Amino acid sequence: MITKHPIYQDFPEYADKIKDLYHNNDEFQVLLHSYTDLDEKIYKIETDEELAMDDELSHLRKDRVFLKDEIFNFLKDS
């Protein structure tokens, strides 16, 4: 099943913290925007709305995992 991967869904226990950091921390806001934009791009490729080679899609997915890890580290360390 092809779905988007919103951070709130992946880390529901941090929902309040995500909201607070998004509104009060510029670095976190950039991270979250980057993640959301990348997730949207991957979704469009997976649903054939945009075209990409398999290796490009694989690279984008790895980048999304990296950003998700960065966001998680930010959440647990803040």
Side-chain angles (χ1 to χ4, degrees), residues 11-64:
F11 303 120
E13 68 276 15
Y14 289 108
D16 291 336
K17 197 170 200 178
I18 290 168
K19 184 178 178 181
D20 181 58
L21 285 169
Y22 179 78
H23 291 292
N24 297 305
N25 188 296
D26 292 339
E27 183 181 356
F28 185 79
Q29 191 176 71
V30 169
L31 268 176
L32 193 56
H33 275 290
S34 296
Y35 176 85
T36 303
D37 291 346
L38 185 57
D39 188 50
E40 180 68 26
K41 182 172 182 65
I42 291 168
Y43 180 77
K44 286 180 178 181
I45 293 168
E46 291 175 338
T47 58
D48 296 327
E49 211 174 306
E50 290 185 13
L51 299 176
M53 301 296 288
D54 287 343
D55 59 330
E56 180 184 358
L57 180 57
S58 178
H59 180 72
L60 292 172
R61 286 176 176 154
K62 288 177 187 175
D63 288 347
R64 180 174 60 189

Side-chain angles (χ1 to χ4, degrees), residues 27-28 31 64-75:
E27 183 181 356
F28 185 79
L31 268 176
R64 180 174 60 189
V65 169
F66 175 79
L67 282 172
K68 187 181 287 186
D69 286 345
E70 289 292 307
I71 289 169
F72 177 71
N73 287 332
F74 207 106
L75 291 169

